[in-house]
């Protein structure tokens, strides 16, 4: 399949450092208001991008927290940063490190010869974080000698590298590409629950042939996942997490995701429900919301084809044509092994809200 621009994503890792000396001189109520201002501001972006927050306090001295964002374009990423700078906390924050990258299908075969089925490279162009406790992030640059090797030589080394990675099934890799848009060539982000396991994996990768061709893979960051309110508590000063009723990056209940007029008849739009990608459809006069990932091989349903053939409105997955009812998510035909999750939808004053499961 052709690599389609709309299926690729922009990925940003922004590391912040608090000017603690200046911030902690503020009266406690101003510290609290500044943190809440930042949390509210970030909240307004969670229907335009996928957002995850992590603390690094106690793990690194040069950065305090990370916002990991994944969007369809660069603009929302840029707008979020401007909005954060304009919060009451903004003047006390520095950005010592910032890595911009994008998803891209690997040019290597990421399956092993002994695999009974090919690993789906397409799935790698959409980021979908797991609920892991840690994120391990570093920028990565290969030597120019690597690029002078033949494709076969590089593939052989990558196969060895993949084989080592497979020995650590609990560590999940998200590699994104920065060629020409930032100083590093890749940003490597591993999700996992056990730092010791990650240490062992990296130690083993040092013994591979491909490691000879690493030019730079520092600074390395171990980031601990937590709701943004708790991240704000971790950086010092007034506590706010007990004042924030929900994690702004892990929403529940009804979430506004679009304006009704953004959806023309028989059209679709990708929105986010916290970290979850949701395909919103207007079809046959109704509004429907489905998990954007096709259960077959994670094809993007928001890019599928709408149909109406006696089953009610339906969508056909753009990758291998699994066919789903919009109303129930049921499979009509095609290779999907199961139904796709549906979300509840309502419209209030021209704003479209979606919710998962039973809500008031
Ligand atoms: S990804 Fe194969 S049918 Fe959707």
């Amino acid at each position: 399949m052709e690599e389609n621009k709309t299926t690729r994503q922009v990925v940003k890792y922004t590391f912040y450092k608090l000017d603690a000396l200046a911030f902690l001189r503020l009266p406690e109520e101003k510290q609290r208001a500044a943190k809440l201002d930042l949390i509210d501001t970030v909240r307004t972006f969670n229907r335009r991008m996928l957002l995850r927050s992590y603390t690094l306090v106690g793990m690194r001295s040069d950065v305090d927290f990370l916002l990991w964002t994944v969007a369809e374009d660069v603009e929302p990423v840029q707008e979020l940063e401007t909005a954060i700078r304009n919060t009451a906390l903004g003047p006390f924050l520095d950005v010592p490190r910032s890595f911009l990258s994008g998803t891209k299908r690997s040019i290597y075969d990421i399956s092993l010869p002994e695999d009974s089925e090919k690993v789906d490279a397409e799935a790698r162009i959409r980021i979908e974080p797991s609920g892991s406790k840690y994120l391990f992030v570093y920028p990565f640059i290969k030597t120019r000698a690597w690029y002078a090797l033949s494709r076969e030589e590089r593939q052989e080394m990558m196969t060895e590298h993949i084989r080592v990675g497979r020995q650590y099934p609990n560590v999940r890799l998200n590699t994104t590409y920065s060629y020409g848009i930032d100083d590093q060539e890749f940003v490597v982000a591993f999700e996992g629950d056990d730092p010791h396991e990650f240490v062992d994996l990296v130690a083993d990768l040092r013994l591979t042939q491909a490691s000879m061709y690493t030019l730079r893979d520092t600074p390395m960051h171990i980031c601990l996942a937590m709701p943004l309110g708790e991240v704000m508590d971790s950086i010092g000063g007034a506590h706010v997490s007990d004042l924030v009723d929900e994690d702004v990056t892990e929403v529940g209940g009804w979430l506004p995701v679009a304006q009704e007029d953004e959806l023309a008849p028989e059209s679709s739009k990708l929105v986010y429900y916290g970290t979850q990608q949701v395909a919103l459809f207007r079809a046959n006069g109704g509004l429907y919301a489905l998990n954007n990932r096709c259960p077959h091989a994670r094809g993007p349903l928001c890019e599928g084809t709408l149909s109406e053939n006696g089953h009610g409105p339906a969508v056909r997955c753009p990758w291998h044509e699994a066919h789903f009812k919009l109303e129930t998510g049921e499979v009509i035909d095609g290779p999907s092994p199961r139904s796709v999750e549906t979300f509840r939808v309502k419209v209030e004053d021209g704003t479209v809200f979606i919710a998962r499961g039973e809500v008031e």
Side-chain angles (χ1 to χ4, degrees), residues 9-14 69 73-75 77-78 97-103 139 176-187:
Q9 295 177 302
V10 172
V11 184
K12 177 76 189 303
Y13 298 85
T14 311
T69 53
D73 295 298
V74 173
E75 283 82 356
V77 172
Q78 189 285 313
R97 228 155 277 141
S98 147
F99 306 132
L100 180 66
S101 57
T103 57
T176 48
Y177 297 74
S178 301
Y179 291 114
I181 59 171
D182 208 340
D183 293 353
Q184 65 281 342
E185 292 177 345
F186 311 91
V187 184

Side-chain angles (χ1 to χ4, degrees), residues 53-55 64-65 224 226-235:
S53 52
Y54 299 83
T55 188
D64 287 334
F65 68 97
L224 179 57
M226 55 177 67
L228 191 53
E230 288 175 32
V231 168
M232 289 293 103
D233 287 355
S234 76
I235 63 175

Side-chain angles (χ1 to χ4, degrees), residues 120 293-301 316-324 333-337:
D120 180 19
R293 313 309 309 175
C294 172
H296 176 234
R298 297 154 54 86
L301 294 182
R316 227 177 241 294
C317 176
W319 284 5
H320 317 100
E321 308 220 320
H323 199 189
F324 302 95
D333 54 55
S336 177

Side-chain angles (χ1 to χ4, degrees), residues 3-22:
E3 200 163 65
N4 182 331
K5 175 183 177 296
T6 61
T7 67
R8 292 169 67 175
Q9 295 177 302
V10 172
V11 184
K12 177 76 189 303
Y13 298 85
T14 311
F15 291 88
Y16 295 89
K17 177 79 181 162
L18 179 73
D19 179 351
L21 268 184

Side-chain angles (χ1 to χ4, degrees), residues 47 257-271 278-289 302 306 326 345-347 350-354:
R47 73 179 175 91
V257 291
Q259 289 305 306
E260 200 182 5
D261 57 13
E262 290 174 52
L263 280 147
E266 309 310 308
S267 73
S268 64
K269 180 177 171 62
L270 180 69
V271 298
V278 176
L280 187 63
F281 297 94
R282 185 193 289 283
N284 212 15
L287 284 169
Y288 305 91
C302 70
L306 287 168
L326 290 184
V345 184
K346 71 175 182 183
V347 179
T351 301
V352 182
F353 293 78
I354 61 171

